[in-house]
Amino acid sequence: MNVKPLRNRVLIKPVSQKEKTDSGILIPQTADKKKPAPGKVVAVGSGRKTSSGNTIPLEVEEGDKVLYNKFGAKEIKIKGKDLLLAKEQDILAIIN
């Protein structure tokens, strides 16, 4: 993919969540909008700039599985793929 986020931004591919419980109950996509969502980091920016001009590198790398805040990320479409563009501060955790 030829997209490089700027500075402290991260491009995330959302991981689909279960749409049905083990007992067969269907879960609507609008449920649990306040919970963090899982995703995979596709691309990262160069890092955050300080007031003195130094660059602080991002803690996440391409390929990391993360939990991100749904409200902070912007939905975009690149080459027909649904992706999210978020600031590093909107990423809550790295999943091992």
Side-chain angles (χ1 to χ4, degrees), residues 5-6 8-12 68-69 72-74 84-91:
L6 298 177
N8 67 334
R9 290 188 171 65
V10 179
L11 197 60
I12 301 171
Y68 62 90
N69 185 354
K74 304 290 182 199
L84 300 167
L85 189 60
K87 289 186 177 180
E88 184 185 31
Q89 67 191 27
D90 293 324
I91 296 175

Side-chain angles (χ1 to χ4, degrees), residues 9-78:
R9 290 188 171 65
V10 179
L11 197 60
I12 301 171
K13 178 182 178 186
V15 176
S16 61
Q17 295 175 306
K18 290 173 52 175
E19 296 177 6
K20 189 168 40 168
T21 64
D22 294 335
S23 61
I25 297 173
L26 294 175
I27 302 171
Q29 290 182 346
T30 56
D32 295 334
K33 285 287 185 184
K34 293 183 181 178
K35 288 187 177 180
K40 184 177 179 182
V41 176
V42 177
V44 297
S46 59
R48 183 172 52 92
K49 297 273 186 182
T50 64
S51 59
S52 62
N54 297 330
T55 301
I56 300 173
L58 300 181
E59 293 184 46
V60 295
E61 300 174 353
E62 289 182 27
D64 283 349
K65 294 178 184 177
V66 295
L67 285 177
Y68 62 90
N69 185 354
K70 293 179 188 178
F71 293 112
K74 304 290 182 199
E75 296 177 0
I76 59 173
K77 194 172 257 196
I78 299 174

Side-chain angles (χ1 to χ4, degrees), residues 1-4 11 42-43 62 78-79 81 83:
M1 184 170 299
N2 295 332
V3 176
K4 174 97 172 136
L11 197 60
V42 177
E62 289 182 27
I78 299 174
K79 294 185 181 180
K81 295 182 181 180
L83 299 170

